[in-house]
Amino acid sequence: MTEVKIKTAFAAAHPNIALIKYWGKSTRDGHNEPAVSSLSITLDTLLTETRVRFDPQLDDDIFLLNGKQDEQKLSRISRNLDKLRQLAGVTTRCEVASSNNFPTAAGLASSASGFAALVAAGDRALQLDLSFAQKSMLARSMSGSAARSIGGGFIKIALQNSGPEDAVFGRAFAEQIAPAEHWPLEICVGIASESEKAIGSTEGMELSRTTSPYYDAWLAGNDQDIADAEQMVITRDFEKLAELSEFSCLKMHALALASRPGLLYWSGATVEAMHCLRDLRAAGVPVFFTIDAGPQIKAVCAPGYGDRVAEALQSVNGIRRVIRCGLGCGVRVTD
Ligand code: PMV
């Protein structure tokens, strides 16, 4: 093992939101492998920018989030850095400085964009030249959804396509189904709360796997949901994708709600917003909702309907603000 001279690199990544949700981890291994396949869209507007600096003067890794040292998240960051160091054959410690232009750990997939940016910046700084799939697997080992932020547009992690287990990388990785230009959907994110969520997804997933009576049914329906959703994306069938995405979202939350103790990620405003968006759809506006492990509501609408949907969402009691997004690109090195 050697020490490298100071090496710096910058990367930027966007969060993604799953239309076919991932909830539950495989029990087979230690690589944070998902128990189900998932399908997502990568957003633009919301952004994580990360700088890594491998520096032989450092005694320990350091993590700065939005300019402030964050000890709590450091151990996860260090585990990711250890994998990068192992691949490069170096021991040099690293300072990671990351900033988000949106609330962190509040169900807006900051861990997805965060780990995707970290892997891409680390790859560049240590000159590893990892492939798309390898970057996706390294990001996945820290946060399942981060595997999908390596790519842009429409992305899936299909467990059926995973290769044999690799000692460093594990198995599951993301692939692009279609680029953003294929179908420029618009997304309105309704912010119901800016505070960090009480129960993180890793803990929540484990609780659901071990206690929710719906877990086996959740696993059983996944292959069909993925195959159908991919087809709907390819054929740009909004109506069918709307129905299936809401089904996947509500199924995930039913699974979580039926855990013991039940995981209730919604606030009153989340529920009000679901009704509002369903009423809009009934009135002919092509829109559907999806919600992750937090109270924020994401309204996905057909191209050209963003203004109408944003206005409706903004009028929901308890929705503090609405962030408008389109579909974005994958992670990129920015120096
Ligand atoms: O990647 P994690 O561990 O933050 O889990 C993501 C879980 C959901 O956002 C709720 C669903 C998904 O597929 O992104």
Side-chain angles (χ1 to χ4, degrees), residues 18 21-23 25 38 111 143-145 148 201 205 252 292-293:
K21 303 288 183 195
Y22 145 60
W23 194 257
K25 295 179 195 291
S38 55
S111 64
S143 158
S145 55
R148 301 184 309 234
S201 51
M205 285 181 199
M252 183 199 102
D292 295 296

Side-chain angles (χ1 to χ4, degrees), residues 16-25 32 36-40 76 107-112 139-140 142-148 197 200-202 205 218 252-253 265 291-294 298:
N16 66 78
I17 49 174
L19 304 185
I20 303 300
K21 303 288 183 195
Y22 145 60
W23 194 257
K25 295 179 195 291
N32 196 38
V36 288
S37 304
S38 55
L39 186 149
S40 62
R76 240 170 125 199
L108 285 178
S110 55
S111 64
R140 186 260 299 127
M142 291 299 122
S143 158
S145 55
R148 301 184 309 234
K197 61 194 169 202
S201 51
T202 300
M205 285 181 199
W218 167 250
M252 183 199 102
H253 284 276
Y265 287 112
I291 306 149
D292 295 296
K298 292 104 181 192

Side-chain angles (χ1 to χ4, degrees), residues 89-130:
V90 299
T91 52
T92 317
R93 302 290 108 184
C94 181
E95 183 192 81
V96 177
S98 215
S99 58
N100 294 330
N101 69 353
F102 60 97
T104 301
L108 285 178
S110 55
S111 64
S113 51
F115 283 109
L118 176 58
V119 166
D123 173 54
R124 170 54 68 96
L126 297 175
Q127 291 157 323
L128 292 168
D129 210 13
L130 299 173

Side-chain angles (χ1 to χ4, degrees), residues 224-279:
Q224 193 62 53
D225 290 350
I226 289 288
D228 291 348
E230 181 167 2
Q231 204 48 38
M232 291 163 194
V233 167
I234 289 165
T235 58
R236 301 188 194 91
D237 189 332
F238 191 89
E239 212 176 310
K240 285 199 177 132
L241 187 64
E243 193 279 330
L244 180 59
S245 300
E246 288 192 359
F247 172 61
S248 177
C249 165
L250 293 173
K251 196 160 54 156
M252 183 199 102
H253 284 276
L255 170 72
L257 283 162
S259 307
R260 295 176 85 166
L263 296 164
L264 180 51
Y265 287 112
W266 303 338
S267 68
T270 320
V271 179
E272 287 290 312
M274 285 191 249
H275 285 296
C276 161
L277 295 170
R278 283 220 162 154
D279 289 349

Side-chain angles (χ1 to χ4, degrees), residues 178-246:
E181 311 78 70
H182 167 72
W183 197 13
L185 298 175
E186 296 184 42
I187 300 93
C188 299
V189 181
I191 304 289
S193 162
E194 311 253 353
S195 50
E196 295 210 6
K197 61 194 169 202
I199 299 178
S201 51
T202 300
E203 201 187 326
M205 285 181 199
E206 203 42 24
L207 190 66
S208 297
R209 187 182 67 77
T210 52
T211 65
S212 180
Y214 302 155
Y215 194 69
D216 288 344
W218 167 250
L219 298 182
N222 177 245
D223 284 354
Q224 193 62 53
D225 290 350
I226 289 288
D228 291 348
E230 181 167 2
Q231 204 48 38
M232 291 163 194
V233 167
I234 289 165
T235 58
R236 301 188 194 91
D237 189 332
F238 191 89
E239 212 176 310
K240 285 199 177 132
L241 187 64
E243 193 279 330
L244 180 59
S245 300
E246 288 192 359

